[in-house]
């Protein structure tokens, strides 16, 4: 018997105590399964999954619109990182379910595979199909609240990590109907990040407004100092969507082609309704963008609706060209890639029972959709071509140009391939690494020979390769592909990465799986020229190697913006936020913080956490001050035992006078509403004494303070640290003593009258004796500095390039790099004041 066989127990002699019986089986109750395996339900625990949670809740509101009951949705990101979504639909049912004996709202938020989308008549079309959406968000949230406006009453319920913390109760009266859901992502689940990106959410809201004509969506991000609500409303829906995609490009025909039809089919002895809307418009660019949606849910990987549409477009153009003798014998054959060049299209279908690849709905699998979309698109295009022969001829001529350019590009690619084979396979300027596993290899694309030299000397030769590029690259947005491929720098880049290039599904020249490096890092100077070169590089990668971006291979290096020096301490700083943190850290050195009342001195190890907590109080407090109340005043309303803070802030304007009150909880809010004679919406303009008046004499608003939970945690932590912060308003007597350089000749002592003054004083102290050097170019750093700051995996900071919004990315590349100058000038004028770092 071999050594391997000796390591195995004999089949007739099982391991004692390893009996496999029913006791070894387990069962996850309620939403525990979601917390244990979030990837099964929301697609992971990364940033994409975080934003998918928003979509899950949002899709329920959109389903209300599809059912004809919702006209407005409000989405708000709060200062504490939570988010609220409110609609004016019917409101989730709150009555007791006849079978399960619990309120409907509790059932749909705590029980998997429950809801109104299983054929009971609640919804005809819906983005949700599995009954796991909102309850999964509940499971992965630190806290989750729902308010239902229904039957003239406001019903309220709260949860923590999927478990009910407050049963359904009535907290007030309501005029209309609707649902308000608020939640904060749980950092125990989303360990990568719990920070919502406003751009990403805004893009999704814009899509929904386009796909649902007549739906108004208001989006507010309260985190900036001056929030600016955005309104999305499009009366012409998908037609306006396609027009926006083509902004900055010259359309071949002024009005998009719209094809729409409702049909039904029998599947498994069940009638399935399918509504198809296809809108397309050709432009003069060399790229295509086709976006697919099912019941308003984006399907980034396409599916059967996309394949049906693509085959129909190719067939219709070839058929019309052949029937009308537009093609000559010497002309090349027009392929699917050719007819898609310059095509912008949106495919939106509504399906009563769609089938998706997964819960995240990235790809539609319903086989019946392909035939329906294909036949409808073909018939619609043939009719349009017959009635608009001039437009049809322009589209066919563009497709012919694309076919000729494709042939020229094929020859250029072949030249590159042969040159690479004859020259050893890699460009001469490439300093390659010794590692051969692509997953471990990094390619730095560096601006200029000078920085390239420093990078080559400072790199880790085992796994870091350097490719310096000289001068500006060709703008691949304006030039045809054959001209782009004749550019020496582009050829070196293609040869180094090895994937080839291409944009069409049938183009075998581009194979992202063959990439020699799984980290392709663009490293340019932090100035105007560096930004331009980076944009040119990203333009080429986006247009010709999009697959490596989609696989997450492309990154942008973040050289430090500052080097700070104080005494013997030297440090590199990436951004202003980090600089602010460093100021607090430096300001805490060589100081003594003491309570003035009893002269208690805080140990140095206690000071840093206290300062961090006070700084967090300041940041979260911006949500309070924005509504007209002082942060110190609000904090002083905390409960002295539990440190809990009021949940609501009211503002009362009567004539020229304004006052505000804090309301502890829902009961206090209900009592206040009764006192004022208001409904739960609490946005009232009411004339005095009930008399009619064009100018209201009293206006009452109630703002929910979503930051209250986080602020309460901070107050408890400060109390535990012994700060003695029972009062935050400035007192007459000093409360803290701030001593610098204790025991030295230049010892100074400052009296502080409020806990909030501690942070300001430490920032002031942090700037003393500090020198700040601003870096502009990589060449200003020697090889050692460059490696330590920008290339060392332990210290560097990389930004991954992703494509969260294909339409927006396409439009931005066209705007910045395309032929149309006026839109670019307008963009610069509109954003000139938003520039953070300007080199002049």
């Amino acid at each position: 018997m071999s050594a391997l066989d000796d390591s195995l127990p004999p089949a007739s002699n099982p391991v004692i105590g390893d009996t496999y019986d029913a006791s070894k089986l387990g069962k996850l109750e309620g939403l525990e399964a979601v917390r244990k395996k979030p990837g099964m339900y929301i697609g992971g625990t990364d940033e994409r999954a975080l934003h998918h949670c928003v979509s899950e809740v949002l899709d329920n509101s959109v389903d209300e619109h599809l059912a004809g009951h919702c006209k407005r949705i409000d989405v708000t990101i709060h200062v504490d990182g939570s988010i609220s979504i409110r609609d004016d639909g019917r409101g989730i049912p709150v009555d007791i379910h006849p079978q399960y004996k619990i309120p409907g709202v509790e059932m749909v938020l705590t029980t998997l595979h429950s809801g109104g989308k299983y054929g009971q008549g609640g919804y005809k079309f819906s983005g949700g199909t599995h009954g796991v959406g909102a309850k999964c968000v509940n499971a992965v949230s630190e806290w989750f609240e729902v308010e239902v406006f229904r039957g003239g009453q406001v019903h309220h319920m709260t949860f923590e990590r999927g478990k009910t913390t407050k049963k359904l109760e009535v907290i007030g009266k309501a005029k209309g109907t609707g649902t308000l859901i608020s939640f904060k992502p749980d950092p125990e689940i989303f360990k990568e990040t719990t920070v919502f990106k406003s751009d990403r959410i805004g893009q999704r809201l814009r899509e929904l407004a386009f796909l649902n004509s007549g739906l108004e969506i208001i989006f507010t991000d309260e985190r900036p100092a001056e929030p600016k609500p955005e309104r999305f409303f499009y009366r012409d829906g998908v037609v306006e969507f396609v027009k926006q995609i083509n902004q900055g490009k010259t359309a071949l025909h002024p009005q998009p082609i719209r094809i729409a039809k409702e049909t039904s089919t029998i599947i498994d002895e069940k009638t399935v309704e399918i509504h198809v809307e296809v809108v397309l418009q050709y432009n003069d660019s060399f790229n295509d963008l086709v976006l697919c949606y099912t019941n308003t849910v984006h399907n980034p990987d396409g599916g059967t609706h996309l394949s049906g549409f693509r085959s129909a477009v190719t067939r219709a153009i070839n058929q019309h060209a052949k029937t009308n003798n537009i093609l000559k014998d010497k002309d090349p054959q027009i392929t699917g890639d050719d007819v898609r060049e310059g095509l912008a299209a949106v495919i939106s279908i509504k399906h009563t029972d769609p089938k998706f690849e997964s819960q995240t709905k990235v790809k539609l699998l319903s086989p019946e959709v392909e035939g329906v979309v294909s036949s409808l698109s073909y018939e619609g295009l043939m009719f349009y071509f017959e009635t608009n022969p001039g437009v049809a001829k322009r589209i066919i001529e563009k497709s012919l140009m694309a076919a000729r350019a494709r042939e020229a590009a094929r020859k250029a690619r072949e030249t590159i391939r042969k040159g690479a084979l004859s020259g050893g396979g890699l460009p001469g300027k490439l300093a390659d690494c010794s590692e051969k596993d692509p997953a471990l290899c990094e390619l730095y694309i560096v601006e200029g020979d000078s920085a390239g030299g420093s990078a080559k000397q400072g790199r880790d030769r085992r796994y870091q390769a350097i490719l310096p590029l000289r001068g500006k690259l060709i703008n691949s947005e304006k030039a045809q592909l054959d001209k782009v491929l004749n550019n020496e720098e582009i050829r070196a880049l293609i040869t180094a990465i090895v994937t080839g290039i291409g944009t069409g599904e049938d183009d075998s020249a581009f194979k992202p799986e063959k990439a020699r490096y799984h980290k392709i890092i663009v490293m340019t100077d932090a100035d105007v020229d560096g930004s331009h070169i980076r944009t040119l590089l990203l333009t080429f990668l986006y247009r010709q190697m999009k697959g490596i971006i989609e696989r997450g291979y492309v990154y942008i290096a973040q050289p430090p913006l500052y080097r700070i020096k104080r005494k013997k301490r030297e440090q590199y700083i990436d951004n202003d936020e980090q600089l602010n943190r460093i100021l607090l850290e430096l300001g805490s050195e060589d100081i003594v913080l003491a309570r003035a009342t009893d002269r208690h001195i805080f140990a140095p190890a206690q000071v840093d956490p206290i300062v961090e907590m006070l700084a967090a109080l300041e940041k979260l407090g911006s949500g309070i001050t924005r509504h007209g109340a002082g942060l110190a005043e609000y904090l002083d309303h905390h409960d002295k035992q539990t440190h809990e803070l009021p949940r609501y802030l009211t503002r009362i304007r009567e004539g020229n006078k304004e006052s505000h009150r804090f309301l502890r909880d829902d009961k206090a809010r209900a009592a206040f509403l009764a006192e004022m004679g208001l409904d739960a919406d609490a946005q009232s303009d009411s004339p005095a004494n009930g008399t009619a008046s064009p100018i209201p004499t009293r206006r009452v608003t109630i703002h929910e303070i979503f930051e209250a939970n986080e602020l309460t945690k901070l107050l408890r932590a400060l109390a535990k640290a012994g700060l003695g912060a029972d009062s935050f308003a400035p007192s007459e007597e000093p409360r803290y003593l701030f001593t610098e350089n204790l025991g030295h000749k230049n010892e100074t002592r400052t009296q502080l009258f409020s806990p909030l003054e501690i942070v300001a004083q430490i920032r002031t102290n942090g700037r003393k004796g500090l020198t700040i050097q601003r870096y502009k170019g990589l060449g200003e750093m020697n090889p050692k500095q460059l490696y330590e700051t920008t290339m060392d995996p332990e210290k560097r900071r990389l930004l991954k390039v992703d494509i969260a919004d294909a339409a927006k990315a396409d439009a931005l590349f066209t705007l910045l790099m395309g032929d149309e100058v006026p839109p670019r000038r307008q963009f610069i004028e509109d954003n000139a004041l938003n520039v953070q770092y300007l080199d002049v």
Side-chain angles (χ1 to χ4, degrees):
M1 184 177 284
S2 68
L4 177 61
D5 293 332
D6 287 337
S7 67
L8 298 174
S12 59
N13 185 23
V15 178
I16 298 174
D18 196 29
T19 304
Y20 180 63
D21 56 21
S23 67
K24 301 296 189 293
L25 305 179
K27 179 183 178 183
L28 297 174
E29 298 291 342
L31 298 180
E32 188 181 352
V34 183
R35 292 186 63 82
K36 293 288 186 183
K37 301 287 184 181
M40 291 177 58
Y41 299 91
I42 58 173
T45 58
D46 57 3
E47 184 182 281
R48 190 208 59 76
L50 174 73
H51 289 84
H52 181 71
C53 290
V54 180
S55 294
E56 288 287 6
V57 177
L58 194 58
D59 288 344
N60 292 334
S61 297
V62 175
D63 290 342
E64 279 291 291
H65 172 77
L66 292 175
H69 302 288
C70 172
K71 294 182 179 179
R72 172 170 168 152
I73 300 174
D74 290 86
V75 180
T76 306
I77 303 176
H78 305 290
V79 179
D80 67 337
S82 63
I83 191 167
S84 299
I85 298 169
R86 176 171 181 168
D87 64 59
D88 60 355
R90 291 170 290 184
I92 303 173
V94 293
D95 55 314
I96 303 298
H97 193 279
Q99 180 180 352
Y100 300 104
K101 309 303 180 185
I102 59 175
V105 63
E106 183 174 1
M107 185 178 80
V108 301
L109 292 176
T110 59
T111 307
L112 287 175
H113 309 293
S114 61
K117 301 164 187 178
Y118 292 95
Q120 302 94 329
Y123 296 92
K124 186 176 182 181
F125 300 109
S126 73
T129 58
H130 302 105
V132 300
K135 64 262 304 168
C136 289
V137 180
N138 186 5
V140 298
S141 296
E142 182 179 338
W143 56 263
F144 185 103
E145 293 188 8
V146 59
E147 288 186 22
V148 178
F149 306 84
R150 191 178 172 106
Q153 294 179 316
V154 183
H155 304 261
H156 180 245
M157 193 171 186
T158 65
F159 309 85
E160 287 183 8
R161 297 181 170 92
K163 296 181 179 179
T164 304
T165 55
K166 186 184 289 185
K167 286 288 187 178
L168 189 68
E169 62 178 351
V170 176
I171 62 171
K173 297 180 180 180
K175 282 184 179 178
T177 60
T179 303
L180 168 63
I181 286 178
S182 307
F183 66 92
K184 189 173 189 296
D186 188 356
E188 293 180 8
I189 300 294
F190 300 100
K191 296 181 179 179
E192 182 178 309
T193 181
T194 58
V195 179
F196 291 115
K197 285 188 174 180
S198 59
D199 286 349
R200 191 164 186 163
I201 294 175
Q203 165 259 324
R204 176 61 182 150
L205 298 178
R206 188 181 297 107
E207 278 184 348
L208 289 173
F210 276 129
L211 295 167
N212 297 277
S213 57
L215 175 63
E216 180 183 22
I217 303 179
I218 307 298
F219 176 46
T220 306
D221 185 354
E222 295 181 341
R223 294 171 298 184
E226 297 182 6
K228 296 180 180 179
E230 293 183 82
R231 178 178 182 264
F232 304 110
F233 179 81
Y234 304 101
R235 200 172 299 280
D236 292 332
V238 179
V239 172
E240 288 190 66
F241 196 175
V242 173
K243 285 182 177 180
Q244 188 194 68
I245 292 173
N246 275 330
Q247 278 185 352
K249 305 169 186 174
T250 302
L252 297 189
H253 44 106
Q255 288 300 319
I257 304 169
R258 181 178 182 270
I259 304 165
K261 188 178 181 181
E262 301 179 6
T263 186
S264 62
T265 184
I266 305 295
I267 301 175
D268 296 331
E269 300 182 354
K270 185 167 117 181
T271 301
V272 173
E273 289 190 35
I274 304 174
H275 297 186
V276 179
E277 182 177 15
V278 174
V279 180
L280 65 144
Q281 186 179 37
Y282 275 88
N283 57 63
D284 62 345
S285 74
F286 307 124
N287 312 290
D288 72 292
L289 182 63
V290 181
L291 302 176
C292 303
Y293 300 86
T294 305
N295 294 348
T296 75
V297 176
H298 185 212
N299 314 124
D301 292 347
T304 50
H305 43 2
L306 177 61
S307 56
F309 170 73
R310 282 181 164 174
S311 64
V313 174
T314 305
R315 193 155 50 101
I317 288 179
N318 275 291
Q319 182 62 39
H320 184 81
K322 181 179 178 182
T323 304
N324 293 275
N325 297 316
I326 298 176
L327 292 179
K328 309 300 180 187
D329 293 338
K330 63 179 180 180
D331 289 329
Q333 181 182 358
I334 296 177
T335 67
D337 285 344
D338 302 328
V339 302
R340 289 194 290 271
E341 185 173 290
L343 173 63
V346 173
I347 308 165
S348 177
I349 74 160
K350 292 182 174 65
H351 195 299
T352 52
D353 187 22
K355 302 294 186 298
F356 298 102
E357 187 176 69
S358 66
Q359 165 64 15
T360 52
K361 306 178 183 74
V362 294
K363 188 174 185 179
L364 179 67
L365 299 181
S366 304
E368 68 279 0
V369 171
E370 183 168 8
V372 171
V373 173
S374 179
S375 61
L376 173 64
S377 301
Y378 177 76
E379 293 169 5
L381 282 172
M382 291 301 291
F383 176 78
Y384 182 86
F385 290 161
E386 291 298 328
T387 54
N388 298 271
V391 174
K393 187 175 181 180
R394 287 197 294 273
I395 293 174
I396 293 169
E397 287 174 348
K398 179 166 180 58
S399 300
L400 269 174
M401 289 178 60
R404 297 187 185 107
R406 173 173 51 83
E407 184 63 22
R410 184 189 64 78
K411 293 178 180 177
R413 275 198 299 264
E414 188 66 18
T415 302
I416 293 175
R417 188 182 68 82
K418 289 180 178 179
L421 290 175
S422 61
L426 294 173
K429 59 171 66 180
L430 173 70
D432 204 10
C433 55
S434 57
E435 177 62 56
K436 300 304 178 186
D437 183 357
L440 303 176
C441 294
E442 302 177 352
L443 173 66
Y444 279 84
I445 305 171
V446 186
E447 171 192 354
D449 291 335
S450 176
S454 294
K456 287 178 182 179
Q457 293 178 53
R459 68 181 173 134
D460 189 325
R461 297 171 182 267
R462 293 173 300 162
Y463 61 91
Q464 291 180 328
I466 309 296
L467 179 65
L469 298 181
R470 183 182 302 169
K472 300 287 178 67
L473 277 72
I474 187 172
N475 184 352
S476 55
E477 185 73 23
K478 293 182 178 181
Q480 282 196 318
L481 185 56
D482 55 328
K483 294 181 180 179
V484 172
L485 294 179
N486 285 325
N487 180 269
E488 182 180 344
E489 306 301 309
I490 292 291
R491 291 162 74 103
L493 182 61
I494 296 171
T495 307
I497 297 176
V498 183
T499 58
I501 62 170
T503 55
E505 281 190 347
D506 302 327
D507 197 336
S508 59
F510 177 61
K511 296 180 179 178
E513 66 276 6
K514 288 193 172 184
R516 295 186 71 248
Y517 313 92
H518 285 187
K519 269 194 172 69
I520 299 168
I521 303 167
V522 180
M523 187 163 69
T524 60
D525 291 345
D527 58 14
V528 174
D529 283 342
S531 298
H532 189 202
I533 292 170
R534 182 168 63 245
T535 305
L536 289 166
L537 268 168
L538 292 177
T539 301
F540 174 75
L541 294 175
Y542 177 75
R543 292 304 188 193
Q544 298 300 330
M545 294 184 174
K546 188 187 289 187
I548 63 173
I549 299 179
E550 293 171 340
R551 287 179 177 232
Y553 292 171
V554 181
Y555 296 79
I556 297 174
Q558 296 292 286
L561 286 175
Y562 306 106
R563 183 181 67 172
I564 62 171
K565 191 173 183 180
R566 184 185 188 189
K567 298 179 181 177
K568 295 182 179 180
R569 175 169 178 164
E570 184 176 288
Q571 192 167 347
Y572 297 97
I573 305 298
D574 295 326
N575 51 50
D576 287 326
E577 184 178 348
Q578 188 178 355
L579 178 61
N580 190 45
R581 288 200 302 269
I582 295 296
L583 288 176
L584 291 177
E585 186 179 329
L586 292 173
S588 301
E589 295 178 354
D590 301 325
I591 65 105
V592 174
L593 180 66
R595 287 196 300 259
T597 52
D598 58 1
R599 302 290 172 167
H600 169 77
I601 297 176
F602 292 94
Q606 292 179 290
V607 175
D608 285 343
I610 287 174
V611 171
E612 287 182 12
M613 288 185 279
L614 290 172
L617 275 183
E618 276 188 345
K619 184 176 181 181
L620 289 170
S622 63
I624 313 297
T625 57
R626 186 178 298 132
H627 296 308
L631 175 59
E633 178 191 9
Y634 173 67
L635 295 175
D636 283 346
H637 277 76
H638 72 274
D639 185 280
K640 296 300 185 278
Q641 299 297 322
T642 65
H643 299 285
E644 290 185 358
L645 286 157
R647 188 67 183 183
Y648 300 98
L649 165 64
T650 73
R651 298 179 69 182
I652 307 169
R653 302 178 186 87
E654 296 188 84
N656 295 325
K657 296 181 180 180
E658 180 174 330
S659 61
H660 58 263
R661 283 162 59 179
F662 297 108
L663 305 177
R664 175 69 53 188
D665 50 25
D666 292 322
K667 290 182 179 179
R669 178 174 179 259
F672 174 80
L673 292 171
E675 175 190 337
M676 293 290 170
L678 302 173
D679 58 52
D681 290 332
Q683 303 290 335
S684 98
D685 294 315
S686 55
N689 303 319
T691 58
S693 170
I695 302 176
T697 58
R698 187 184 71 181
R699 177 170 174 78
V700 179
T701 57
I702 294 184
H703 305 281
E704 185 169 0
I705 304 171
F706 291 92
E707 300 80 20
N709 289 335
E710 293 301 312
L711 289 167
T712 296
K713 291 179 185 178
L714 290 169
L715 291 184
R716 289 171 180 164
L718 287 170
K720 190 175 181 180
L723 189 65
D726 289 334
S727 174
F728 286 84
S731 59
E732 294 183 0
E733 298 294 327
R735 299 182 58 196
Y736 304 96
L737 299 176
F738 186 91
T739 307
E740 303 171 51
N741 303 311
L742 182 66
H744 292 77
K745 292 182 180 180
N746 57 344
E747 175 184 322
T748 59
R749 179 173 297 182
T750 305
Q751 294 179 337
L752 305 177
F753 298 85
S754 164
L756 296 176
E757 293 180 12
I758 295 174
V759 177
Q761 184 62 39
I762 284 182
R763 285 199 189 100
T764 302
N765 189 49
R767 289 190 175 275
K768 293 180 180 178
L770 187 69
T771 59
I772 302 176
Q773 178 185 354
R774 166 78 164 93
Y775 282 113
K776 292 184 180 181
L778 299 171
E780 295 181 25
M781 290 182 275
N782 60 43
K784 183 181 178 181
Q785 287 178 322
L786 185 59
Y787 179 78
E788 289 178 349
T789 62
T790 316
M791 301 177 69
D792 183 357
E794 299 296 325
K795 300 177 182 178
R796 71 187 179 191
R797 194 166 64 96
L798 300 178
L799 295 181
K800 180 183 283 189
V801 179
D802 63 7
I803 309 172
D805 181 358
K808 190 173 181 180
D810 186 89
L812 190 59
F813 278 113
T814 300
L815 174 69
L816 297 178
M817 310 304 292
D819 290 317
E820 297 294 323
V821 175
R824 183 157 53 248
R825 181 185 296 116
Q826 184 66 44
F827 176 84
I828 293 171
E829 291 173 353
D830 291 344
N831 292 277
L833 297 179
N834 297 329
V835 175
Q836 287 181 289
Y837 309 109
L838 183 64
D839 296 298
V840 293

